[in-house]
Amino acid sequence: MADLRNNFVGIKSPNPFWLASAPPTDKAYNVERAFKAGWGGVVWKTLGEEGPPVVNVNGPRYGAIWGADRRLLGLNNIELITDRDLYTNLREMKQVKMNWPDRALIASIMVPCEEESWKAILPLVEETGADGIELNFGCPHGMSERGMGAAVGQVPEYIEMVVRWCKQYTRMPVITKLTPNITDIRKPARAAKAGGTDAVSLINTINSIVSVDLDSFAPNPTVGGKGTHGGYCGPAVKPIALNMVAEIARDPETYGLPISGIGGVTTWRDAAEFLVLGAGNVQVCTAAMTYGFKIVQEMITGLSDWMDAKGHRSLDDICGRAVPNVTDWQYLNLNYIAKAHIDQDACIKCGRCHIACEDTSHQAITQFVDGVRHFEVMEDECVGCNLCVNVCPVENCITMVGLEPGTLDQRTGKTVDPNYANWTTHPNNPMARQAAE
Amino acid sequence: MGTTQSGIHRGRLTPAEYETNFSDLHPRLDDHEALVAADRCYFCHDAPCMTACPTSIDIPLFIRQISTGNPIGSAKTIFDQNILGGMCARVCPTETLCEQACVRNTAEHRPVEIGRLQRYATDVAISENQHFYERAARTGKAIAVVGAGPAGLACAHRLAMAGHDVVIFEAREKAGGLNEYGIATYKAVDDFAQREVDYVLAIGGIEVKNGLKLGRDFTLADLTANFDAVFLGMGLSGVNALGAEGENLPGVYDAVDFIAELRQATDKATVPVGRRVVVIGGGMTAIDAAVQTKLLGAEEVTICYRRGKEHMNASPFEQDLAASKGVMIRHWLQPKRVIARDGQVAGIEMEYTEIQDGRLVGTGETGVLTADQIFKAIGQTFEAAGLGALALSGNRIAIDSEGRTSVANVWAGGDCVKAGEDLTVTSVAQGRDAADSINRMLAAGAQPAAAVA
Ligand SMILES: Cc1cc2nc3c(=O)[nH]c(=O)nc-3n(C[C@H](O)[C@H](O)[C@H](O)COP(=O)(O)OP(=O)(O)OC[C@H]3O[C@@H](n4cnc5c(N)ncnc54)[C@H](O)[C@@H]3O)c2cc1C
Ligand SMILES: Cc1cc2nc3c(=O)[nH]c(=O)nc-3n(C[C@H](O)[C@H](O)[C@H](O)COP(=O)(O)O)c2cc1C
Ligand code: SF4
Ligand code: SF4
Ligand code: SF4
């Protein structure tokens, strides 16, 4: 059995699956249920300043997009931070941590961008026995209009400044949660590192309008005839989150900075992908909000079974393993040549590969052979783009097969060169450096 | 009364039992079911299902329109090719047509439910009284259509769209053809056949004259003299004889007549049925007669077919349906002699058959099945008079690829011609295509040539 125990910046949990700061972690009742279901840790729903709590809208907060059979693919929300009193939250956190000493409990915090505010709240949080804090620099709506959340996360100087205050006023590990609503995610990560953060977590939700009501002409969710942009999360955001995690993991300036991966984790496979791209653990929100806490049991068993099957014994064996294989486009091997291949036994003859390649790509798949409906790749036309693989409804029916060095590429009439060669040295590149003799 | 009383009787069941037995076989999908079913379609390129549909409905498109919440647009896609798409959705043997060709059969032995999705969309449009077609400016051309079955209706609708004035001459009291008098009760409940006829006729420009029969009340020559073109869609009104001794005894019925009587009966309890029923035949009619006698309360119903299971015209789906209702299907048996007691049917002597040198022959071995009611369902025949010199082929009206007969300005389609299977959907396709051919002829104003000499 693989060892799933997780040590993230000194915070220990029995597995790398934490619930992200969000409604599932809003109060003791939910968190107790989550721990019973098996979650390794929680980041408590973001706390605000002492005093009257924020209010949420009283109409719909969520919108969504769906795939076939109404499978939820993307969720959009206009929630704010916790709308409960600070002391109620703190009291409950303390009790829960006492009941569940082996689980991780992190406090997420968002207070105004003033030193006094942070200085005031940190001792209160520390007193609960929480294992660490997460700085919410991500909320893209409501809070950012008040100069908090994403409004801070989008300005690297502010991030660095707030992180520094926190490191100064608490002994707890600091995790800086980043907003994806920014052009280059490496900038805020570098700033957090400069401020002394122990880790970053990402992504928070992405600015979005998820759909528009075509009768009332208002964005969804519509609250009394008007809508606003919300924060997008769930399976649809995973590719964006994975890229941002990888960018930070391979940036020389932040290389080695612990990352808690968030965004669309729904299955063990999603989690494994975050881990191998450099995340030390993962946080989950939408999957739990869609299916309930039990979903973690699939994640735990799936990850463990996969690790067993592949002979990985602990999380250290897999974390970051894919990072060296993420590179820039210009370093990809242009001498690697692949061709699509259709498994005729698996093919159900839907014709989608043909029409995709014919209408929109390289006219490399037949529709009829000798008058019979038959889909076959013409290697002399196939550029190996992989589009057909992605549109085929049958798994593993079309595969990309790499040509062996020395064999003939029928499309170009050239033999496949065994040597690595990339764009930087390509003759068509006006900026190509002279290849070493 | 119940199912065990010997003889032929009405009212064998309770009203509640009749009600359940003759309710909708495959009720309309609700919105949610339709979305789930529609989501399974791959939107295939040059879709095999579409090729398999005799009317070439754009199936991937209409299913996609359902999945995007546009059932009305979906219905239009269907009606563009097949104005009787509502009935076809109910009666097509989809398992041998579109659904057999669906690629999801290859993928997981379960096709997209094309028929039921088609019913969903067409039902929405018909129930919301959405009409999609208007007549073109009147051309002043008059066209006669003989028979208001699927072929005649489809033809008339296309012609009316083009602005011609159409008169349908229909021998029966109601329009609809076998949709009204032949299709099994549980496939077309709630008077759907008449609602559909009204929907089709709503385009205007079509006059239906009921009770007028070609060969009795007028001749083909009368029509060609008074109309610019004629379409014949009379179906098959004769029945094959058993060729067995005693087939005229009381208790021997024609299955098609029985089915028509059942369809017309508002109270199914008034239709009498035997305790032990034997149905002779192997097609859709045999299955429908057998299943419906069982549903009327017959204790024991047996279909006897003179060849093997694989030769039956009834699809495996229909055969399974019969089996699920408790009908027994026996093969390699042909009728020899109807046995009477007190002038009434008491049984039937059957002879085993086999194929020798490619020909079906009796083996000489016989046996007797007890029966108080026997149905002939061994095929209908083309029967008509007043057609003058109209050429026949294989005992039906001869046509060319456009539906033209040997007589100038006369087209034909549906069961009365020999082209394709005898199905509602093929009849619709032939009626529609004949209308297109007539339109082309009228538009060209050309001197039409007789196609079949
Ligand atoms: C019992 C039974 C069950 C069937 N079930 C199915 C099924 O489930 N699915 C399926 O696809 N197909 C089924 N069929 C076949 C289908 O009903 C026919 O193929 C289809 O109805 C043929 O259409 P049509 O317009 O050619 O002829 P018909 O439907 O037979 O219509 C012909 C019309 O012409 C009229 N007519 C006839 N002679 C004259 C005349 N001399 N003058 C004026 N009018 C005349 C008739 O009264 C009738 O209204 C079934 C057939 C039968 C008998
Ligand atoms: C309704 C809702 C409320 C959220 N509230 C917070 C919050 O208070 N603090 C925070 O840091 N992130 C909040 N988030 C963001 C999530 O913690 C998480 O970063 C994001 O949803 C991406 O993860 P997922 O794809 O697993 O849902 C919220 C998300 C949702 C759906
Ligand atoms: S890989 Fe691209 S070019 Fe080759 S067959 Fe597939 S779609 Fe066409
Ligand atoms: S998309 Fe896949 S299943 Fe469909 S025809 Fe192409 S190879 Fe066959
Ligand atoms: S063959 Fe099946 S999956 Fe393909 S378009 Fe037709 S119904 Fe859809």
Side-chain angles (χ1 to χ4, degrees):
Chain A
M1 268 276 282
D3 181 0
L4 292 190
R5 279 177 305 172
N6 185 228
N7 183 342
F8 188 74
V9 295
I11 304 167
K12 296 196 170 70
S13 55
N15 62 55
F17 301 105
W18 290 4
L19 281 169
S21 173
T25 62
D26 191 32
K27 49 188 181 313
Y29 179 81
N30 306 75
V31 174
E32 289 271 355
R33 288 175 67 88
F35 284 159
K36 276 185 199 128
W39 290 89
V42 302
V43 183
W44 203 274
K45 174 78 182 168
T46 305
L47 307 173
E49 268 193 307
E50 191 176 343
V54 304
V55 295
N56 271 302
V57 295
N58 295 305
R61 300 175 194 182
Y62 304 114
I65 63 160
W66 298 274
D69 220 355
R70 250 179 101 86
R71 182 179 287 239
L72 191 136
L73 296 183
L75 184 71
N76 162 283
N77 83 88
I78 54 168
E79 259 220 1
L80 303 183
I81 62 173
T82 185
D83 52 13
R84 302 189 320 142
D85 174 64
L86 175 63
Y87 288 97
T88 311
N89 275 310
L90 293 172
R91 201 168 50 244
E92 290 184 6
M93 286 164 66
K94 186 170 185 172
Q95 185 63 48
V96 171
K97 183 64 206 179
M98 233 144 69
N99 296 348
W100 298 88
D102 69 322
R103 308 298 169 95
L105 193 152
I106 314 298
S108 169
I109 308 175
M110 183 196 289
V111 292
C113 204
E114 291 151 12
E115 189 167 359
E116 286 314 306
S117 302
W118 290 91
K119 197 175 166 181
I121 197 167
L122 290 170
L124 301 176
V125 170
E126 205 168 297
E127 204 273 323
T128 63
D131 299 296
I133 58 169
E134 187 179 78
L135 314 185
N136 181 351
F137 291 154
C139 184
H141 45 261
M143 302 313 293
S144 55
E145 294 163 20
R146 303 170 204 181
M148 294 181 265
V152 178
Q154 285 163 342
V155 185
E157 295 75 29
Y158 291 173
I159 295 179
E160 183 178 340
M161 178 174 74
V162 176
V163 171
R164 190 157 283 144
W165 293 333
C166 292
K167 285 307 289 179
Q168 189 178 340
Y169 297 119
T170 178
R171 55 161 182 78
M172 294 180 289
V174 174
I175 304 166
T176 306
K177 185 167 180 177
L178 305 180
T179 175
N181 299 310
I182 187 161
T183 317
D184 184 350
I185 196 67
R186 292 172 303 183
K187 302 277 163 61
R190 289 171 189 163
K193 190 174 179 203
T197 196
D198 295 282
V200 289
S201 58
L202 71 164
I203 59 174
N204 208 310
T205 56
I206 305 174
N207 283 348
S208 62
I209 289 179
V210 81
S211 63
V212 181
D213 185 317
L214 291 177
D215 292 319
S216 64
F217 295 115
N220 284 317
T222 309
V223 181
K226 298 246 190 274
T228 182
H229 76 262
Y232 200 39
C233 50
V237 309
K238 187 186 90 170
I240 297 165
L242 282 178
N243 173 55
M244 291 184 163
V245 165
E247 285 293 284
I248 295 171
R250 72 191 189 95
D251 178 18
E253 290 189 40
T254 49
Y255 186 80
L257 179 67
I259 303 170
S260 184
I262 320 173
V265 175
T266 312
T267 67
W268 71 266
R269 195 179 287 274
D270 301 327
E273 289 171 12
F274 272 96
L275 296 174
V276 300
L277 273 180
N281 69 8
V282 294
Q283 298 184 31
V284 178
C285 169
T286 306
M289 291 185 76
T290 312
Y291 302 108
F293 291 142
K294 183 182 170 184
I295 195 84
V296 74
Q297 288 161 17
E298 181 282 324
M299 298 182 189
I300 292 171
T301 52
L303 184 63
S304 166
D305 293 344
W306 168 71
M307 289 173 64
D308 287 346
K310 300 286 176 178
H312 307 304
R313 285 184 311 276
S314 72
L315 296 179
D316 289 340
D317 286 358
I318 58 170
C319 284
R321 287 283 290 272
V323 177
N325 294 330
V326 185
T327 185
D328 294 341
W329 190 93
Q330 60 180 339
Y331 300 122
L332 296 174
N333 183 5
L334 294 174
N335 282 339
Y336 174 77
I337 296 168
K339 302 282 177 186
H341 177 263
I342 297 176
D343 175 351
Q344 295 299 335
D345 293 333
C347 171
I348 61 171
K349 300 189 167 46
C350 70
R352 279 170 45 167
C353 56
H354 163 80
I355 201 62
C357 191
E358 189 72 15
D359 276 358
T360 71
S361 293
H362 301 90
Q363 298 76 46
I365 299 181
T366 64
Q367 176 178 4
F368 294 103
V369 172
D370 299 333
V372 179
R373 193 174 168 88
H374 181 87
F375 301 91
E376 200 173 284
V377 176
M378 295 174 270
E379 290 211 359
D380 54 342
E381 297 292 343
C382 175
V383 303
C385 73
N386 208 36
L387 176 66
C388 53
V389 171
N390 290 301
V391 303
C392 174
V394 181
E395 334 56 85
N396 304 322
C397 172
I398 312 183
T399 44
M400 299 304 300
V401 182
L403 294 187
E404 289 298 327
T407 57
L408 181 74
D409 176 356
Q410 296 180 35
R411 186 175 70 87
T412 57
K414 296 188 184 139
T415 38
V416 180
D417 189 335
N419 300 307
Y420 165 84
N422 66 41
W423 176 244
T424 60
T425 57
H426 196 277
N428 289 14
N429 182 356
M431 307 204 301
R433 280 169 271 135
Q434 206 54 45
E437 294 294 311
Chain B
M1 161 74 56
T3 56
T4 53
Q5 178 96 12
S6 76
I8 302 177
H9 303 286
R10 49 177 58 93
R12 285 186 182 272
L13 306 175
T14 64
E17 286 170 319
Y18 283 111
E19 174 89 29
T20 349
N21 287 357
F22 291 96
S23 63
D24 214 341
L25 183 62
H26 294 299
R28 165 174 160 184
L29 299 174
D30 67 25
D31 293 350
H32 169 72
E33 290 171 314
L35 283 178
V36 172
D39 267 343
R40 294 187 66 239
C41 175
Y42 286 139
F43 201 72
C44 296
H45 170 64
D46 189 11
C49 55
M50 194 173 154
T51 314
C53 171
T55 55
S56 311
I57 293 173
D58 192 337
I59 295 166
L61 181 61
F62 96 67
I63 295 182
R64 194 161 185 87
Q65 288 168 312
I66 292 175
S67 72
T68 59
N70 183 12
I72 299 292
S74 173
K76 175 160 189 307
T77 302
I78 295 162
F79 291 140
D80 279 349
Q81 290 295 105
N82 181 336
I83 193 65
L84 293 159
M87 186 59 85
C88 288
R90 290 162 164 80
V91 306
C92 273
T94 52
E95 64 282 359
T96 62
L97 298 169
C98 53
E99 292 182 14
Q100 183 178 55
C102 175
V103 302
R104 294 208 81 145
N105 263 326
T106 324
E108 63 253 341
H109 305 290
R110 198 163 69 85
V112 172
E113 290 181 284
I114 302 169
R116 298 192 74 186
L117 286 165
Q118 179 171 324
R119 165 144 182 211
Y120 169 79
T122 51
D123 272 13
V124 171
I126 294 177
S127 66
E128 291 182 10
N129 214 16
Q130 291 271 355
H131 293 271
F132 304 104
Y133 310 99
E134 277 174 18
R135 298 192 67 192
R138 277 187 66 187
T139 59
K141 303 283 183 195
I143 295 149
V145 169
V146 182
L153 288 170
C155 183
H157 187 265
R158 268 289 156 105
L159 293 169
M161 261 171 81
H164 310 310
D165 294 320
V166 185
V167 182
I168 305 184
F169 297 92
E170 166 56 54
R172 296 243 206 189
E173 236 170 87
K174 293 188 196 170
L178 290 172
N179 286 357
E180 174 60 38
Y181 293 99
I183 295 300
T185 311
Y186 43 79
K187 289 185 187 170
V189 300
D190 297 333
D191 210 18
F192 179 74
Q194 286 313 298
R195 285 194 286 126
E196 186 177 53
V197 167
D198 294 343
Y199 183 78
V200 172
L201 297 183
I203 187 166
I206 305 172
E207 185 192 356
V208 183
K209 294 191 167 179
N210 290 101
L212 289 178
K213 186 171 180 179
L214 172 67
R216 184 189 67 199
D217 304 310
F218 56 91
T219 64
L220 181 56
D222 296 333
L223 297 180
T224 47
N226 291 302
F227 291 87
D228 295 294
V230 178
F231 174 78
L232 302 174
M234 294 105 84
L236 303 172
S237 33
V239 212
N240 282 326
L242 282 184
E245 199 184 308
E247 73 176 283
N248 295 322
L249 281 168
V252 180
Y253 290 68
D254 169 10
V256 179
D257 288 346
F258 162 76
I259 291 169
E261 180 194 345
L262 182 65
R263 275 294 301 274
Q264 296 310 307
T266 35
D267 178 4
K268 305 302 176 212
T270 61
V271 181
V273 72
R275 177 176 71 177
R276 295 208 174 101
V277 173
V278 171
V279 179
I280 311 292
M284 200 113 74
T285 308
I287 298 276
D288 284 359
V291 168
Q292 294 186 100
T293 50
K294 190 78 185 135
L295 296 178
L296 282 172
E299 183 191 18
E300 193 181 288
V301 179
T302 310
I303 291 177
C304 293
Y305 179 53
R306 61 188 178 140
R307 294 170 190 270
K309 181 177 167 66
E310 63 281 15
H311 304 109
M312 286 181 83
N313 268 332
S315 70
F317 170 84
E318 300 279 342
Q319 296 179 38
D320 287 351
L321 176 76
S324 77
K325 300 292 179 193
V327 170
M328 157 99 115
I329 303 181
R330 299 187 59 171
H331 302 101
W332 303 111
L333 283 175
Q334 68 184 12
K336 216 172 152 56
R337 183 169 64 95
V338 178
I339 299 165
R341 192 187 307 129
D342 307 330
Q344 272 285 336
V345 166
I348 183 163
E349 186 182 349
M350 305 294 295
E351 180 183 17
Y352 279 98
T353 57
E354 63 185 9
I355 292 184
Q356 272 177 17
D357 307 325
R359 286 192 53 231
L360 187 79
V361 292
T363 62
E365 187 186 350
T366 64
V368 171
L369 294 176
T370 342
D372 30 34
Q373 194 177 26
I374 292 170
F375 288 98
K376 297 186 281 186
I378 52 171
Q380 290 90 260
T381 52
F382 177 62
E383 221 181 58
L387 294 173
L390 191 77
L392 300 188
S393 131
N395 282 329
R396 303 204 196 176
I397 301 172
I399 52 165
D400 70 358
S401 61
E402 287 203 20
R404 288 178 294 208
T405 68
S406 63
V407 175
N409 295 340
V410 179
W411 278 254
D415 284 358
C416 65
V417 304
K418 190 73 214 161
E421 286 181 86
D422 290 341
L423 294 174
T424 310
V425 65
T426 7
S427 305
V428 171
Q430 290 164 5
R432 177 199 71 188
D433 295 347
D436 287 340
S437 174
I438 293 171
N439 276 332
R440 280 193 298 273
M441 182 275 284
L442 293 176
Q447 212 49 23
V452 187

